Amino acid sequence: MAVVLEVDSVDDPRVDDFRDLKAADRRPDRPGGKGLVIAEGTVVVRRMLDSPFRPHALLGVDKRWRELAPELAGVEVPFYRASAEVMAEVVGFHLNRGVLAVAHRPPERDFDETIAAATTVAVLEGVNDHENLGSMFRNAAGLGVDAILFGDRCADPLYRRSVRVSMGHALRVPFARVPEWPRGLDRLRNRGFQVAALTPDPAAPTLAAALTGDRVALLLGAEGPGLTVEAMAAADVRARIPMSAGTDSLNVATAAAMAFYERVRAS
């Protein structure tokens, strides 16, 4: 059972893992910081509790404690209960969702282990916006994507904003880094994946026509520059989403959702 511990002082050292979340040079959820993962809000905290990420502390107001008490009944973890005012001073801003949970980052997943049982994966290059990345994880969870793989220059999927926008699914959808980018795409191909690069090129076949493999890796690039020439060349096929005249691209998370849906629809 979680133990409720009252926090009345902003300077209480027991809540240091939640301190100054807006201070860029001290953020505990940055890869170069304390190596922590922070879940924000009851929905995301519940998903953390039901994920491989085990929280070692929570900070929240009394209302959130009462909402989470059933899920915390079998968890040995301190719940630091504070007023909204004290919590805001600790965190550095007023937290509308009223609760945070914190866990240590586990070691990175092994690439081969991550794809071993997968039939559909998303592979990202240069997706460096945390909100787009969070949306990508949420879409992946809702549309049956087995894993997300990272090439070069991608944002941190465990940054607090990514986790929040993903509604906690960044803690549940497996992810790993592709070794030796983009040569590492050969490792997908050697395991039977059709590597399909999304492009706005009107000469490319549509997703419906292009996705023919039993195992598919959907390759997506950042908004604006898109995929690099090297990544595009490493794909087996290029594919496009049909769009109205005068529109040449979609938000990358939206494009991913449509590609994920096409994959679900065709299977």
Side-chain angles (χ1 to χ4, degrees):
M1 176 70 179
V3 178
V4 179
L5 302 171
E6 303 296 339
V7 174
D8 300 316
S9 169
V10 174
D11 299 318
D12 192 323
R14 296 177 297 174
V15 294
D16 282 350
D17 282 349
F18 303 97
R19 195 175 301 284
D20 298 328
L21 297 186
K22 287 190 74 172
D25 60 338
R26 295 194 296 276
R27 291 194 57 142
D29 56 337
R30 292 171 67 98
K34 292 183 178 181
L36 301 179
V37 182
I38 295 175
E40 178 182 338
T42 53
V43 171
V44 181
V45 169
R46 286 186 176 112
R47 290 199 171 124
M48 176 178 272
L49 291 167
D50 189 32
S51 81
F53 296 78
R54 309 311 301 168
H56 61 263
L58 292 92
L59 171 66
V61 298
D62 181 65
K63 179 180 180 181
R64 300 305 181 218
W65 157 250
R66 287 185 277 110
E67 290 173 352
L68 288 166
E71 288 87 348
L72 293 171
V75 181
E76 294 185 12
V77 62
F79 187 105
Y80 296 109
R81 184 165 57 188
S83 67
E85 293 73 25
V86 168
M87 190 174 177
E89 288 196 57
V90 171
V91 173
F93 57 95
H94 183 72
L95 191 75
N96 292 329
R97 292 169 179 82
V99 65
L100 296 165
V102 62
H104 292 290
R105 287 178 181 241
E108 288 194 3
R109 285 178 178 267
D110 177 75
F111 174 81
D112 292 319
E113 181 182 310
T114 302
I115 66 171
T119 57
T120 304
V121 299
V123 188
L124 311 182
E125 181 187 49
V127 179
N128 56 14
D129 181 274
H130 292 101
E131 294 191 2
N132 279 338
L133 199 56
S135 296
M136 194 87 66
F137 273 92
R138 188 175 181 182
N139 294 339
L143 293 166
V145 172
D146 300 302
I148 293 182
L149 308 175
F150 293 101
D152 282 349
R153 298 172 290 104
C154 289
D156 175 22
L158 297 180
Y159 186 72
R160 181 175 61 89
R161 188 181 303 162
S162 296
V163 174
R164 185 189 71 221
V165 173
S166 79
M167 296 301 292
H169 291 296
L171 308 176
R172 301 174 74 183
V173 175
F175 62 87
R177 301 194 180 278
V178 179
E180 300 180 84
W181 183 260
R183 255 191 323 171
L185 291 171
D186 285 340
R187 297 175 69 163
L188 284 165
R189 189 175 295 105
N190 292 339
R191 287 158 178 78
F193 282 89
Q194 178 193 30
V195 181
L198 268 68
T199 174
D201 184 354
T206 64
L207 280 165
L211 300 185
T212 59
D214 292 329
R215 306 182 86 186
V216 170
L218 295 160
L219 184 55
L220 299 113
E223 290 180 49
L227 294 165
T228 60
V229 172
E230 294 79 10
M232 193 74 77
D236 298 312
V237 65
R238 300 183 184 192
R240 64 180 173 88
I241 296 169
M243 287 182 283
S244 301
T247 303
D248 63 355
S249 65
L250 297 169
N251 169 276
V252 65
T254 302
M258 295 184 72
F260 299 164
Y261 176 75
E262 182 59 40
R263 176 68 174 150
V264 170
R265 189 194 65 79
S267 62

